[in-house]
Amino acid sequence: MCKECGCGIVGEVNIGGQPGSALSSPLLDAAEGSKHDHEGDHEHPHPHSHPHDHDHDTSGQIQSHQTVTVQKSLLEKNDRLAERNRGYFRAKGLLVLNVASSPGSGKTTFIRETAVALAKRLRLGVIVGDLATDHDAASLRAANIPVVQITTGTVCHLDAEMVSKAASQLNLDALNVLVIENVGNLVCPADYDLGEDLRVVLLSVTEGEDKPLKYPPMFHSANVAVIAKCDLAAAAGFDREKTLANLKRISHHARIFEVSAKTGQGMKEWIDFLVQAQESIQRQHG
Amino acid sequence: MHEVSIMQEAVRMVIETAKSSGASRVHGLRLRVGAMSGVVPDALRFAFDMVCRDTIAEGATLNIESVPAQCWCAACQVEFECEDFLNECPQCHELSGELRRGRELELASVEMS
């Protein structure tokens, strides 16, 4: 169930044509193996450390009120899995992008044109999420891009577990860049780390210059903000100065690009940036 | 944010702590919640009431310790309390992106017997 909006029923997610529940990945198996059980006998020493005390009196029972210090983060399962994804992808020298936006901002086209423009320099693969259909995957596949489609059923965002399972269906060793195209949604995906290096948020010129102010968590979490469909700016009465000001206000860490995937405007700067970013990842871990 | 699943994890941890200490009842728990953690304390209380039902933590007192958010201004070399995404230094009014405290979300302690 989505923690943010309560949607989704466990078990409906489909990854690359197979039910998610039937799939595993090496990372998830490792995560499961690290679970431990506190039930049972306390006579033997604990093989793992915990920041809390045990009262080992002879009867094994505490009779009076006792306050035990715990000091443990409530970070969720998703954050842990995301960190595992991150480590795994980095070890492969992959640059990983989490691309988010409203529905219809142009994510798939932007990703497709990015892959095409990069073709001579870097090999790009995609994990794409939608509630239903594999139209996006089909569009990417037609451009000769390795892709896995996740259909979530009713879940409104991708999470680290879905990404881990989908990634195991790609030949990651043949890739330099992994792009995760999130479900079109500016709310819930903000809460879900997928293990990415860069969170890229798209905002098209038809959406209004105050979008960043309306969706602070997503825009604040962005490492890159892309103003998309710039070829339509005049027709949409797009206020560029206001949009840039609002982006700088909310997404003040973000690098901003203004593009038209359709005409190619602005794509060169974006591609050069990606190549540099991937080189930097490669240098650290390649 | 996602208070229900946060409280599910908190209650799971509380029960695990109690059982591993040989306790049969949880009387209280203390959470530390940063002001910028994105979590709403009232929603945590509501979620707790639901999640603790039919467990050994049912009826336990939930204490929420709020941790104020502190930002760092590199220009002025001072820490200042910040309240939202727009962290303006009170001295120089420059925006600071460096949050030093305030994103905590932890189970601090459990009272049991």
Side-chain angles (χ1 to χ4, degrees), chain A residues 40-143:
Chain A
D41 190 4
H42 279 270
E43 262 59 66
H44 58 261
H46 293 278
H48 31 251
S49 68
H50 290 280
H52 59 254
D53 305 330
H54 297 289
D55 182 13
H56 284 282
D57 70 17
T58 51
S59 67
Q61 296 294 316
I62 297 178
Q63 301 303 318
S64 57
H65 276 226
Q66 169 165 318
T67 300
V68 169
T69 302
V70 179
Q71 284 178 349
K72 252 186 179 171
S73 168
L74 296 173
L75 273 184
E76 320 226 18
K77 184 181 162 197
N78 186 75
D79 285 322
R80 280 182 224 120
L81 288 176
E83 274 308 314
R84 283 178 192 268
N85 284 353
R86 185 167 277 115
Y88 183 67
F89 295 146
R90 289 237 170 111
K92 292 190 177 285
L94 278 170
L95 172 69
V96 184
L97 273 51
N98 176 358
V99 180
S101 77
S102 295
S105 298
K107 291 186 290 301
T108 308
T109 304
F110 177 68
I111 292 166
R112 193 186 66 223
E113 295 310 311
T114 298
V116 168
L118 272 176
K120 294 188 173 71
R121 293 151 97 178
L122 294 174
R123 187 88 162 118
L124 187 153
V126 183
I127 295 170
V128 55
D130 282 297
L131 269 63
T133 82
D134 68 344
H135 294 173
D136 287 353
S139 160
L140 294 163
R141 208 168 281 127

Side-chain angles (χ1 to χ4, degrees), chain A residues 3 42 65-66 68 70 76, chain B residues 2 20 107-108 110-112:
Chain A
K3 321 174 243 192
H42 279 270
H65 276 226
Q66 169 165 318
V68 169
V70 179
E76 320 226 18
Chain B
H2 35 277
S20 70
L107 173 64
V110 182
E111 193 193 326
M112 62 188 90

Side-chain angles (χ1 to χ4, degrees), chain B:
Chain B
M1 221 208 189
H2 35 277
E3 284 80 357
V4 172
S5 68
I6 287 169
M7 286 319 292
Q8 280 175 329
E9 176 65 6
V11 170
R12 187 201 64 76
M13 248 187 223
V14 159
I15 291 171
E16 184 185 282
T17 304
K19 285 185 175 168
S20 70
S21 304
S24 56
R25 194 87 224 146
V26 175
H27 301 287
L29 58 147
R30 174 181 298 278
L31 300 183
R32 294 186 73 238
V33 177
M36 290 295 285
S37 63
V39 175
V40 176
D42 279 349
L44 281 178
R45 292 187 185 285
F46 178 78
F48 178 64
D49 286 343
M50 272 186 348
V51 171
C52 71
R53 268 177 224 165
D54 300 323
T55 71
I56 60 170
E58 184 166 359
T61 306
L62 172 60
N63 285 303
I64 298 176
E65 184 189 319
S66 222
V67 181
Q70 294 284 331
C71 259
W72 174 253
C73 178
C76 302
Q77 295 282 301
V78 288
E79 261 189 22
F80 60 95
E81 191 163 330
C82 50
E83 280 171 6
D84 60 22
F85 288 101
L86 308 178
N87 308 315
E88 221 179 73
C89 171
Q91 287 182 34
C92 68
H93 302 289
E94 285 300 305
L95 289 176
S96 159
E98 195 184 329
L99 193 69
R100 286 212 163 158
R101 257 183 294 287
R103 297 199 69 123
E104 298 81 354
L105 187 53
E106 65 173 33
L107 173 64
S109 62
V110 182
E111 193 193 326
M112 62 188 90
S113 71

Side-chain angles (χ1 to χ4, degrees), chain A residues 123-201:
Chain A
R123 187 88 162 118
L124 187 153
V126 183
I127 295 170
V128 55
D130 282 297
L131 269 63
T133 82
D134 68 344
H135 294 173
D136 287 353
S139 160
L140 294 163
R141 208 168 281 127
N144 200 30
I145 300 164
V147 55
V148 175
Q149 175 84 53
I150 300 173
T151 48
T152 69
T154 59
V155 182
C156 54
H157 60 274
L158 292 182
D159 65 25
E161 183 174 355
M162 295 176 200
V163 167
S164 174
K165 289 179 175 176
S168 64
Q169 295 187 17
L170 283 170
N171 180 8
L172 298 178
D173 294 319
L175 301 178
N176 309 108
V177 182
L178 175 63
V179 176
I180 306 163
E181 183 186 330
N182 220 316
V183 175
N185 179 351
L186 281 176
V187 184
C188 314
D191 289 348
Y192 291 84
D193 185 3
L194 302 179
E196 71 266 24
D197 297 305
L198 292 175
R199 186 169 282 193
V200 179
V201 180

